[in-house]
Amino acid sequence: MRAENHTQVRAPLDGAALRRALVRRGGLWRDLEVVESTGSTNADLLARALAGEPEGAVLAAEEQRAGRGRMGRTWTAPPRAALTFSVLLKPAVPPARRGWLPLLAGVAAATAVTQVSGVRIGLKWPNDLLTADAKLAGILAEASGDAVVVGIGLNVSTEPAELSHLLAPARPGALPATSLRAAGATALDRASLLLAILGELELWYHAWQRVGGDPDRSGLRAEYTRLSATIGRTVRAELPGGQALSGPVAGVDSEGRLLVRVSPGSEVAVSAGDVVHLR
């Protein structure tokens, strides 16, 4: 892409216009702020949650200097090339069902991104967004007391030469990074993507809360299964502590854990760790 097209495609987010759009909608999202740069939107909202901030806050950053992924990994992107934001939620569901919230965010983001961009999205457990076996976005949920902050980092206009620097450190079995631009998206407008993701997230969040976090009565487990690129595949799960197990994935259980069939009639529920799709 030529430099002048970078300027056009990587237009800044208009925080005031986004806030007006959310006010017209009403509902869950009561505040939206866009900052030029910060260390981590998740860390910022977690601090605000500790100070008593109610749910419904949205914080987007044009650049994150200390963005984080799962397992303590770093996540970076060129300024305005990605959509990076976090939301503050306080789910009124039993603690055992909170594990579904990151998966719910994955379903919401995958649905919205497909609708806006035309790129078909799959989910790698628990909530990485994939297209054509490459990673398009990651989601990190962090809890503090009764609050959960969910952060999403979506590569939008990032070019192939920029993608190799996004995920560190590289590790065996890691999927390559991609972006909506690289995937041939029909739309790259970050404001439209943000509003669509927030809309889907609100719909699923309310449906899930209304039934006490039940993934079946809310329809969440069925939709997650439909979008999953992991269920039905053989994987290697690298668990905390250095252990690992392999086998086909049978599904996800009532707490959102991955069910790996390690032998006929025997399944292990994986709640944390790296999952590698085996070819």
Side-chain angles (χ1 to χ4, degrees):
M1 193 196 318
R2 297 190 306 273
E4 61 268 28
N5 287 337
H6 270 148
T7 302
Q8 181 179 2
V9 171
R10 296 180 181 176
L13 291 171
D14 185 335
L18 287 165
R19 280 192 296 275
R20 288 194 296 270
L22 291 182
V23 168
R24 286 195 297 269
R25 286 184 182 180
L28 175 63
W29 311 116
R30 53 169 192 80
D31 181 53
L32 186 149
E33 180 183 2
V34 177
V35 296
E36 188 63 30
S37 180
T38 190
S40 162
T41 54
N42 261 32
D44 292 347
L45 279 191
L46 283 168
R48 286 161 58 173
L50 283 173
E53 180 99 8
E55 80 169 352
V58 182
L59 177 63
E62 300 288 22
E63 177 187 29
Q64 285 195 109
R65 301 183 305 276
R68 293 170 288 137
R70 294 180 63 246
M71 314 297 288
R73 298 190 182 96
T74 59
W75 188 92
T76 60
R80 299 178 181 169
L83 178 61
T84 54
F85 70 99
S86 299
V87 300
L88 173 58
L89 301 170
K90 296 189 176 182
V93 303
R97 287 180 168 163
R98 282 194 175 194
W100 271 97
L101 189 52
L103 282 68
L104 182 156
V107 167
T111 303
V113 171
T114 296
Q115 290 172 348
V116 173
S117 72
V119 175
R120 184 175 293 276
I121 306 297
L123 292 172
K124 176 178 177 286
W125 186 89
N127 50 26
D128 285 346
L129 272 64
L130 307 184
T131 183
D133 281 331
K135 182 172 177 175
L136 182 66
I139 297 174
L140 177 66
E142 298 179 284
S144 176
D146 65 343
V148 180
V149 171
V150 179
I152 298 177
L154 170 67
N155 297 324
V156 180
S157 65
T158 329
E159 297 207 63
E162 298 169 319
L163 289 167
S164 61
H165 304 293
L166 295 188
L167 297 170
R171 63 196 190 282
L175 294 172
T178 191
S179 68
L180 288 176
R181 181 176 180 83
T186 57
L188 297 175
D189 182 65
R190 292 183 302 142
S192 298
L193 288 162
L194 176 56
L195 291 174
I197 293 171
L198 291 175
E200 286 292 325
L201 185 53
E202 180 173 2
L203 286 174
W204 279 108
Y205 184 65
H206 284 326
W208 177 68
Q209 281 208 116
R210 277 196 298 268
V211 294
D214 188 310
D216 295 312
R217 291 170 59 204
S218 64
L220 181 56
R221 177 152 44 178
E223 186 64 6
Y224 183 87
T225 299
R226 185 184 73 82
L227 291 169
S228 177
T230 301
I231 294 171
R233 294 185 65 160
T234 298
V235 303
R236 181 176 71 254
E238 299 168 354
L239 309 178
Q243 296 178 307
L245 56 88
S246 299
V249 175
V252 287
D253 70 7
S254 61
E255 296 180 18
R257 299 177 299 182
L258 195 69
L259 297 174
V260 180
R261 187 172 296 120
V262 294
S263 63
S266 178
E267 296 173 353
V268 174
V270 175
S271 60
D274 259 340
V275 171
V276 178
H277 289 174
L278 300 179
R279 299 184 185 279

